[in-house]
Amino acid sequence: MNLPEFCIRRPVMTVLLSLSIIIAGILAYHGLPIAALPSYDAPTIVINAELPGASPETMASAVATPLERELSAISGLAVISSTSLLGMSAITLEFNQNHSMDSASIDVQAALLRVQPLLPVEMTAPPSYSKINPAEAPIIHLALTSPSLPLADLNNFAENLISPAISTLPGLAQVQINGQKRYAVRIRVNAAALAARNLTMDDLAAVLSTVNANSPIGTLDGPRQTLTIQANRQLDNAAAFANLIVATTRGNAPVRLSDVAQVEDSVESIKSAIWINGERAITLAVQREPGTNTVAAVDAIKALLPELNAQMPSSVRLKLLSDRSVSIRDAIHDIEVTLIVTILLVILVIFFFLRNASAILISALSLMLSLLGTVAAMQLFGYTLNNISLLAITLAVGLVVDDAIVVLENIVRYVEEGMPPLQAALRGSKEVSFTIVSISVSLAAVFIPVFFMPGVIGLLFHEFAAVVGIAVLVSALVSLTLVPVMASQYLTVPVKVKEGGVKWQGWFERGFDALSGAYEYALDRALRHRRIMLGVALSTLIATVVLFMVLPKGFFPSEDTGQAIITVEAVEDISFPAMIHVLQQAEKVIRNHPAVEILSINATNSNHARMFVTLKPRHERPHIDAIAENLRRDVGAIPGIKIFISPIQNLKLGARTSKSRYQYVLRSLHSDKLHQAADKLMSHMLKDQHIFRDVSSDMQLKGLQARLNIDRDKAGLMGVEIDDIRSALYSAFGERQVSTIYAASNRYKVIMQVVAEDQLDESAFGDIHLRGKNDTLIPLSTVVTVEREVGPVAINHTGQLESVTVSFNLASGAALGDAATRLNQLKQTLQIPESILTSYAGDAAAFQSSQMSQIVLIMVALFVVYVLLGVLYESYIHPITVLAGLPSAAVGALAVLWIFNIELSIIAMIGILLLIGIVKKNAIMMIDFALDKQRNAQITPFEAIRAACLLRFRPIMMTTVAALMGALPIALGLGAGAELRQPLGLTVVGGLLFSQVITLFITPVIYLYLDDVFKN
């Protein structure tokens, strides 16, 4: 007794088990989490170190280098890179995909403890680390504004209320407060007034460092009571510090701090600012840990916002600026709509071909059961509802119904011949059982190589392969269990059109009969001219190779998420006020664009600033690429600045931050050669406007510096130590922290520097005095001379070598493969020396590694299918017959991409892989029937394959059209996130259309040819 017969004999069992699967699938669907893509993140950790006032060279040599040496010894580390700027260094660690984040965190913490003694003593805070990817955009942006409260108060709410509350939520790595205005007392020293009272900057710093000590004093223990000793309360504001006596004159007159300095209530960072649509604000950027579900994290944050708003004054507004889950939800919603449309189209196909209400109901039920069974399995394996998994489910609609169609059509054929439904179900299901197993198992086997794909690409498509494979196997099970049961019970109405029936049914049947007759005529002609058909088959193979070579190669299609990051770059020696001026000009242009809804500007003490743009809903604006082109033109017209626009993508690989999406890294021990090579490369890339856009680099070497040349002999004779010079300069110009205010809930800095008038140019050094011999004051200008020079604004390392990262976007119509080819040509043309190591990073690196793996993937998939079919048929020849039609499918897929000017991306390659599984089912249906006829009816191969082609023409047409309808809504590219899905839909539609015409004739010809070869 076979499986269909067993289920037909036990209908109650079959129905109840099917009902259980339906209920499990419904419950699982509502319980599946929502995400943009399957989890693909590698563990990434960022270490931040700050030393205010230190030059980039000092940060690189004294801070970044010792940290890199210690951190590079951590096991599982894939990439280490660093950026050193004025007063800060950031070191990024990227670990292998299979490395544990917890293990990496422990190793990093231990390394930081070991390296602490090697760092400068002026670092008041040790390096900190965060489990974030710095290159990934925040999942949500919040803004704090108030018409009445100062920014310092808003910062207090952000730092002490909002950030701690959000940070406790699971899966969040960091809540970064931008435009931070933490309270600080700022002491602006008048160097001339200080010298007039025989004081130096270091004298003043030494006094201030002791006034707010927070050390324990002790207790008094009496016979009955214990008293805790407390000294005077701390100085907690500018007024208290201003009245402080810092010295006495020779006449014992007190010198108060206000006599030699301006003391003001200020903030720590006076050279940073945030604007939200022109309004000053404090923003909070929330970043997730690698692997965290974005939608779930955003939902948790939003649920917390009402509680946070209730704890703040009514004048404070906590606003949502950007939410990356919006584009994800829109994409998921639209693909769910696509899924519903696809199901309706497939059911419509069945209705047209079978014209039987019972058959349609059975097919629809089997389709629903297959999909819900797949969803239940997704819940079991811990998958999510994302663009990739839902894309797999949508495509599976046209595949899972195939099995039901094959079984049902065979049963209906016997019912049409007058056989009772029960007998028809028993006989029809038994005949095609092996065919169903062959089709389903071989289709699922196509995706076996995907599970062995290394790296990020493998992680992304494991879920796609698993979902399609599960859906196909579940549909095979349903087709051999529930479908025969339902057919035996309810398939009682004849499907032939009766007299007086609906006219269109007659038209359709007559039209299909005419099509069948035309196919029979064409088939006979093809079988008589076998050499011509073999030539056609060979030409499709050649055309496949040619089209594959000609088509531009790409990575992942760019998505329109409605958000973008704009980097505005000015000259490297620009001052903060001048930078604010050009940013306000850029802001005016960008906000005037009709598609821009929210513009957030983050200005820091550097020559570049980042803007976060949230666009209006998709139906109210053009595509983001068109908007980016307009903004490049309009903002680029402002003199003195460059603009770089990067639309935010759900897929962001690597942890290297850059102004554009794709990255090319140059590394070398020789700085001069490295910089020359990078300059030459960029200058040539800028000329290739048809390929590269937004070409930039992290190389910044033209910052203006004032170099002090110390006369060591003279300084020694005057009793001035070199370290005293350095310390005095840091006290005057380094925003030195000289004291700390200890509050109940936080601690605040007391910062010392010279007055603003003494920071304008080199003449300020003349007012700085040092303590020399016999307690005399020595002007700094006595022992030093000053000269201006050009120096680096940033120093970057990759793998402990100095590096330059050249980043770029692609011009309209250009593919990443074109860019990679051109970069290789430029490397040869410019004769970049071998001492300079070059490599890709981020998305470009993943693209490069995927190029060879894609070809290997297709070849391995073909081999797996060949082996499996060989095992099933116990033949070396028949699997070749089945696979012979695949080149025609590839030609159709590649031709459609070429016609629509779409690059051959990884998504499109997955579509071609899927075609391998879809197209071979036509050949399997023909060959199974032909082999059965040869064995049982004792007829010639020619008669067997001809009969098989004619008899299986209807199910072949039904399954192919059903698969077409399953892919057509995806190919149309409608809805949010359609850019990601469309290439796959186009390849499936194009491959099916072309292969359907070819394989109906090539397969029988090759069957006969190989049969003759095998006999000979």
Side-chain angles (χ1 to χ4, degrees):
M1 182 182 293
N2 54 41
L3 181 60
E5 183 179 353
F6 175 77
C7 293
I8 290 172
R9 303 298 184 190
R10 302 194 63 179
V12 175
M13 176 201 73
T14 306
V15 171
L16 289 178
L17 290 177
S18 300
L19 183 62
S20 301
I21 294 175
I22 291 174
I23 294 173
I26 293 172
L27 294 176
Y29 185 81
H30 291 288
L32 284 173
I34 298 173
L37 295 169
S39 179
Y40 63 89
D41 301 295
T44 305
I45 293 178
V46 176
I47 294 98
N48 290 296
E50 294 184 1
L51 182 58
S55 66
E57 295 104 318
T58 301
M59 292 303 301
S61 60
V63 179
T65 298
L67 283 170
E68 287 175 359
R69 286 176 180 170
E70 192 67 39
L71 293 165
S72 62
I74 296 176
S75 63
L77 184 64
V79 179
I80 180 170
S81 59
S82 70
T83 298
S84 297
L85 305 171
L86 179 64
M88 66 158 291
S89 286
I91 301 172
T92 303
L93 309 177
E94 300 175 56
F95 292 87
N96 296 325
Q97 292 283 346
N98 57 355
H99 198 75
S100 167
M101 174 64 87
D102 293 335
S103 174
S105 301
I106 293 171
D107 291 341
V108 167
Q109 192 171 14
L112 293 180
L113 290 174
R114 290 194 299 269
V115 80
Q116 184 65 42
L118 304 178
L119 300 178
V121 295
E122 290 85 0
M123 288 185 67
T124 56
S128 61
Y129 73 91
S130 301
K131 295 182 284 187
I132 62 171
N133 185 341
E136 187 178 72
I139 61 173
I140 195 170
H141 258 111
L142 302 172
L144 269 176
T145 60
S146 174
S148 56
L149 293 181
L151 290 174
D153 289 350
L154 295 180
N155 190 90
N156 193 44
F157 287 124
E159 193 170 45
N160 299 323
L161 173 63
I162 301 172
S163 179
I166 294 177
S167 297
T168 59
L169 297 175
L172 300 182
Q174 176 177 278
V175 181
Q176 183 175 350
I177 303 174
N178 295 318
Q180 198 167 39
K181 297 298 176 184
R182 181 188 292 177
Y183 174 77
V185 172
R186 189 170 294 272
I187 300 171
R188 299 182 183 273
V189 181
N190 186 321
L194 195 66
R197 290 164 175 81
N198 196 36
L199 295 172
T200 67
M201 296 293 293
D202 283 350
D203 293 338
L204 188 58
V207 173
L208 292 172
S209 65
T210 62
V211 298
N212 259 1
N214 197 29
S215 58
I217 299 175
T219 60
L220 297 175
D221 294 315
R224 295 184 179 180
Q225 293 177 319
T226 297
L227 300 179
T228 302
I229 303 173
Q230 292 283 2
N232 286 353
R233 290 189 174 183
Q234 297 186 66
L235 307 177
D236 59 2
N237 57 40
F241 273 92
N243 202 38
L244 179 69
I245 296 176
V246 295
T248 56
T249 63
R250 294 177 181 176
N252 290 327
V255 178
R256 299 187 183 274
L257 185 58
S258 59
D259 296 333
V260 294
Q262 304 167 7
V263 187
E264 58 190 34
D265 293 314
S266 181
V267 292
E268 282 186 24
S269 176
I270 58 176
K271 294 182 179 179
S272 66
I274 293 282
W275 285 271
I276 307 297
N277 285 349
E279 182 181 10
R280 287 296 299 272
I282 302 290
T283 64
L284 296 96
V286 184
Q287 289 187 288
R288 66 184 181 97
E289 289 184 0
T292 298
N293 185 294
T294 298
V295 174
V298 169
D299 287 342
I301 295 170
K302 287 182 176 179
L304 194 62
L305 294 185
E307 179 183 337
L308 296 175
N309 275 311
Q311 299 181 56
M312 294 185 293
S314 58
S315 62
V316 177
R317 298 190 298 271
L318 180 59
K319 299 186 293 186
L320 182 65
L321 292 183
S322 65
D323 175 4
R324 284 184 59 193
S325 72
V326 171
S327 62
I328 297 172
R329 295 176 205 272
D330 289 345
I332 298 300
H333 173 267
D334 286 347
I335 199 170
E336 285 174 341
V337 172
T338 302
L339 176 60
I340 294 171
V341 172
T342 302
I343 292 172
L344 294 176
L345 287 174
V346 169
I347 292 175
L348 188 64
V349 170
I350 300 170
F351 177 67
F352 269 105
F353 276 92
L354 297 182
R355 303 178 302 282
N356 183 303
S358 304
I360 295 167
L361 180 62
I362 294 170
S363 299
L365 186 61
S366 69
L367 175 60
M368 180 179 67
L369 183 59
S370 300
L371 295 180
L372 290 176
T374 304
V375 172
M378 288 174 62
Q379 175 83 348
L380 183 65
F381 288 111
Y383 295 155
T384 61
L385 286 178
N386 55 67
N387 276 305
I388 300 298
S389 62
L390 277 174
L391 177 62
I393 292 176
T394 305
L395 284 169
V397 171
L399 305 179
V400 300
V401 79
D402 285 358
D403 296 335
I405 287 174
V406 172
V407 175
L408 197 58
E409 190 276 339
N410 208 42
I411 296 172
V412 167
R413 183 167 59 86
Y414 284 114
V415 172
E416 288 177 345
E417 293 174 359
M419 187 178 292
L422 178 60
Q423 296 302 317
L426 289 170
R427 182 174 177 181
S429 59
K430 181 180 179 180
E431 282 184 353
V432 296
S433 293
F434 183 78
T435 303
I436 295 298
V437 172
S438 300
I439 292 174
S440 301
V441 174
S442 59
L443 177 54
V446 167
F447 293 98
I448 290 177
V450 176
F451 292 101
F452 298 95
M453 286 181 67
V456 175
I457 305 304
L459 288 176
L460 280 173
F461 288 104
H462 284 181
E463 200 163 310
F464 179 89
V467 171
V468 173
I470 291 169
V472 169
L473 295 177
V474 171
S475 73
L477 184 62
V478 172
S479 299
L480 296 177
T481 55
L482 182 65
V483 170
V485 170
M486 298 292 289
S488 68
Q489 297 289 328
Y490 301 107
L491 195 63
T492 57
V493 181
V495 296
K496 288 292 183 180
V497 179
K498 300 177 181 178
E499 290 295 328
V502 181
K503 286 185 177 180
W504 69 264
Q505 293 184 356
W507 295 341
F508 184 86
E509 185 163 340
R510 287 191 295 272
F512 189 78
D513 288 342
L515 181 63
S516 300
Y519 172 63
E520 182 178 4
Y521 172 78
L523 176 65
D524 290 337
R525 296 290 298 271
L527 293 176
R528 286 197 299 269
H529 301 86
R530 298 180 195 177
R531 290 188 178 182
I532 295 176
M533 298 309 300
L534 289 174
V536 171
L538 182 61
S539 66
T540 59
L541 180 61
I542 297 172
T544 299
V545 175
V546 171
L547 282 172
F548 182 82
M549 300 296 293
V550 170
L551 271 176
K553 311 299 187 298
F555 184 53
F556 262 66
S558 295
E559 294 182 78
D560 184 352
T561 62
Q563 298 176 5
I565 296 176
I566 300 177
T567 303
V568 177
E569 186 177 82
V571 292
E572 294 173 27
D573 60 351
I574 193 170
S575 66
F576 184 70
M579 188 69 184
I580 295 299
H581 177 67
V582 297
L583 285 177
Q584 289 172 341
Q585 291 180 278
E587 177 195 24
K588 184 178 180 181
V589 173
I590 295 172
R591 288 184 61 193
N592 283 337
H593 195 287
V596 175
E597 185 172 36
I598 299 176
L599 175 63
S600 170
I601 302 177
N602 185 5
T604 58
N605 186 24
S606 66
N607 69 316
H608 61 270
R610 301 190 94 186
M611 300 180 176
F612 291 87
V613 178
T614 300
L615 302 176
K616 292 179 180 178
R618 185 70 179 85
H619 62 276
E620 298 180 19
R621 59 173 175 83
H623 194 274
I624 193 169
D625 290 342
I627 298 171
E629 284 297 321
N630 292 336
L631 292 178
R632 284 189 187 100
R633 182 191 64 242
D634 297 341
V635 180
I638 300 173
I641 63 172
K642 298 177 183 177
I643 180 174
F644 307 94
I645 303 176
S646 288
I648 293 176
Q649 301 294 301
N650 288 315
L651 178 67
K652 175 63 179 176
L653 304 181
R656 193 182 301 267
T657 56
S658 60
K659 304 179 188 75
S660 305
R661 181 177 180 183
Y662 303 107
Q663 300 154 345
Y664 188 67
V665 183
L666 297 87
R667 299 183 296 145
S668 179
L669 284 170
H670 310 288
S671 299
D672 294 339
K673 292 182 179 179
L674 175 68
H675 300 151
Q676 291 173 5
D679 275 332
K680 290 180 181 178
L681 181 65
M682 287 183 60
S683 64
H684 282 75
M685 291 174 68
L686 288 168
K687 296 175 183 177
D688 293 329
Q689 288 292 316
H690 63 290
I691 297 177
F692 303 106
R693 299 299 299 269
D694 297 334
V695 178
S696 65
S697 79
D698 56 5
M699 180 175 61
Q700 299 188 69
L701 306 174
K702 299 178 181 178
L704 199 57
Q705 296 181 340
R707 178 167 294 279
L708 298 180
N709 298 313
I710 302 173
D711 189 332
R712 294 179 180 269
D713 293 339
K714 186 181 290 186
L717 291 173
M718 293 183 175
V720 177
E721 299 289 341
I722 302 300
D723 190 60
D724 293 339
I725 298 175
R726 186 198 60 78
S727 179
L729 289 169
Y730 186 51
S731 297
F733 307 104
E735 295 192 358
R736 186 170 199 163
Q737 180 182 351
V738 293
S739 185
T740 303
I741 301 172
Y742 298 94
S745 61
N746 213 329
R747 57 177 60 188
Y748 304 100
K749 293 182 179 181
V750 179
I751 299 170
M752 186 177 76
Q753 62 185 137
V754 295
V755 293
E757 294 80 5
D758 287 343
Q759 298 184 61
L760 298 178
D761 52 39
E762 302 93 319
S763 63
F765 298 135
D767 293 329
I768 305 300
H769 289 73
L770 308 167
R771 186 72 63 187
K773 288 181 178 179
N774 301 321
D775 205 32
T776 58
L777 293 185
I778 308 298
L780 179 63
S781 56
T782 305
V783 294
V784 302
T785 57
V786 186
E787 60 181 355
R788 289 192 177 191
E789 66 178 16
V790 174
V793 175
I795 297 177
N796 303 283
H797 292 168
T798 300
Q800 301 188 67
L801 294 177
E802 187 168 349
S803 65
V804 175
T805 300
V806 178
S807 59
F808 59 91
N809 289 326
L810 297 174
S812 178
L816 186 53
D818 300 332
T821 301
R822 182 56 180 157
L823 284 172
N824 291 334
Q825 292 173 352
L826 289 175
K827 183 179 177 180
Q828 300 299 324
T829 303
L830 300 175
Q831 298 181 347
I832 294 178
E834 293 183 359
S835 60
I836 297 177
L837 307 177
T838 61
S839 61
Y840 293 91
D843 291 356
F847 167 77
Q848 285 295 103
S849 65
S850 70
Q851 289 304 288
M852 184 56 66
S853 65
Q854 289 179 29
I855 299 174
V856 173
L857 175 68
I858 297 295
M859 299 305 294
V860 172
L862 291 173
F863 178 74
V864 169
V865 173
Y866 174 82
V867 170
L868 185 62
L869 291 174
V871 171
L872 290 173
Y873 287 111
E874 191 57 33
S875 169
Y876 298 108
I877 300 298
H878 296 316
I880 298 176
T881 309
V882 172
L883 297 175
L886 296 182
S888 63
V891 167
L894 297 176
V896 166
L897 293 177
W898 180 74
I899 291 170
F900 286 92
N901 195 27
I902 294 178
E903 61 192 21
L904 182 59
S905 62
I906 294 175
I907 292 286
M909 285 297 293
I910 294 297
I912 294 175
L913 183 68
L914 185 62
L915 276 174
I916 295 176
I918 298 175
V919 172
K920 63 177 177 47
K921 73 179 187 321
N922 294 353
I924 289 176
M925 283 192 280
M926 295 179 190
I927 293 169
D928 276 354
F929 187 89
L931 291 174
D932 182 69
K933 286 294 184 183
Q934 278 185 255
R935 295 190 191 104
N936 299 324
Q938 299 297 316
I939 59 177
T940 64
F942 180 89
E943 293 171 332
I945 193 64
R946 184 180 183 278
C949 291
L950 297 177
L951 193 62
R952 309 315 293 162
F953 180 67
R954 184 168 73 166
I956 287 174
M957 291 299 297
M958 287 179 66
T959 55
T960 302
V961 175
L964 271 173
M965 292 300 104
L968 185 60
I970 299 172
L972 293 176
L974 304 176
E979 303 94 345
L980 183 67
R981 307 185 294 267
Q982 189 179 27
L984 194 150
L986 285 173
T987 55
V988 172
V989 169
L992 285 176
L993 285 174
F994 191 76
S995 68
Q996 180 70 3
V997 176
I998 301 298
T999 56
L1000 285 172
F1001 304 100
I1002 288 180
T1003 300
V1005 170
I1006 293 178
Y1007 177 86
L1008 295 175
Y1009 177 77
L1010 291 178
D1011 185 74
D1012 292 339
V1013 171
F1014 182 71
K1015 287 178 180 179
N1016 294 332

